[in-house]
Amino acid sequence: MKPTRFIESVNCAIEGILYTVRTQKHMRRHFAAALVVMTAALLVRVSPMEFMLIALAVSFVLFAELLNTAIEVVVDMISPEFHPMAKVAKDVAAGAVLVAAFGTAILGYLVLAKYLFPFHRGVLAMVGTSSEMGTIVSVIMVLITVIILKSLTGKGTPLKGGVPSGHAAVAFSIATSISFNTQDPLTSLLCFVLAVMVSHSRLLLQIHSTREVVMGALTGTLVTVAVTSVFRALG
């Protein structure tokens, strides 16, 4: 029955939000990301106007995910069997969430960048700038480490399968070296985005599991940081 009192309407709305959080993993991730972004905004002390923009953008993403879930439920109710038009409806709704999330990411970057960039440069400066030789040695050491780890686990080959993912390890090693060389936050961010895309492709091709890709990313990053630190100490 349609709620007749305001408090009943509010309870229904809250139940809808709880249902979405309980059943949709993407909604849980959106809430987690919102918590991180809002906390970061408070810690760096953004202006009231900037905080308002971030809050509005976050709310828009959550709204889009709620609407997407509502459309999915209605489509499943009307068309429980597979239908091409039902797929289109769900894909378009999911596309709306993606557009909202992309716009929010851009806004969050533009607002928080000026606060986080000095901290980013300071952290990179603590390790040092990677030399040309250091970069080459880092990649070689990452490859050797990957081969050793794969030989110990007895799974996969140097170029396919096994623990850890060699593609992810090399991609994150290169991204880390570029970050040290440039010490530019935007360049660093874009390089790590490319590294994530390379790693994700291994999942899409079903060559590696998420655990193997994450281990590869950690291997590439940690080995490169260690080699760069050693070169700085020796230099």
Side-chain angles (χ1 to χ4, degrees):
M1 296 178 61
K2 184 177 180 180
T4 57
R5 295 187 301 169
F6 174 74
I7 188 64
E8 293 176 350
S9 299
V10 173
N11 285 334
C12 289
I14 294 175
E15 287 178 3
I17 295 174
L18 293 176
Y19 171 83
T20 305
V21 174
R22 188 167 56 249
T23 61
Q24 305 296 318
K25 64 179 180 180
H26 293 297
M27 188 61 161
R28 294 192 292 271
R29 291 173 180 173
H30 289 321
F31 267 112
L35 181 62
V36 171
V37 171
M38 301 292 275
T39 302
L42 292 174
L43 290 177
V44 300
R45 298 183 180 181
V46 299
S47 68
M49 178 61 71
E50 291 171 335
F51 188 83
M52 182 187 70
L53 290 174
I54 292 176
L56 184 63
V58 168
S59 299
F60 184 57
V61 173
L62 299 178
F63 164 78
E65 187 61 51
L66 287 168
L67 190 61
N68 175 49
T69 302
I71 292 174
E72 287 183 348
V73 171
V74 172
V75 170
D76 289 339
M77 179 181 65
I78 297 175
S79 178
E81 302 297 331
F82 175 79
H83 192 283
M85 298 306 294
K87 179 181 182 302
V88 170
K90 289 186 176 183
D91 289 347
V92 172
V97 178
L98 181 61
V99 171
F102 185 72
T104 299
I106 294 176
L107 186 145
Y109 171 81
L110 294 176
V111 171
L112 297 176
K114 64 180 180 181
Y115 298 99
L116 299 179
F117 277 8
F119 174 76
H120 178 274
R121 290 192 177 95
V123 171
L124 292 180
M126 291 175 60
V127 180
T129 302
S130 178
S131 63
E132 181 178 350
M133 182 61 68
T135 301
I136 296 174
V137 172
S138 295
V139 175
I140 295 174
M141 292 296 292
V142 167
L143 289 173
I144 293 174
T145 303
V146 168
I147 293 174
I148 292 175
L149 291 175
K150 286 190 176 185
S151 65
L152 291 176
T153 59
K155 296 173 61 178
T157 66
L159 297 177
K160 185 175 181 180
V163 183
S165 167
H167 286 73
V170 172
F172 273 85
S173 173
I174 294 174
T176 303
S177 292
I178 292 176
S179 298
F180 286 134
N181 282 322
T182 63
Q183 296 194 3
D184 178 70
L186 181 57
T187 302
S188 176
L189 176 62
L190 294 177
C191 287
F192 277 104
V193 168
L194 287 176
V196 170
M197 293 174 65
V198 170
S199 303
H200 187 243
S201 69
R202 310 306 287 173
L203 297 177
L204 293 178
L205 294 173
Q206 297 182 347
I207 297 175
H208 287 285
S209 65
T210 302
R211 171 175 166 270
E212 293 169 349
V213 167
V214 171
M215 288 187 64
L218 291 175
T219 300
T221 302
L222 295 177
V223 170
T224 303
V225 170
V227 171
T228 303
S229 300
V230 169
F231 269 79
R232 181 190 183 187
L234 295 176

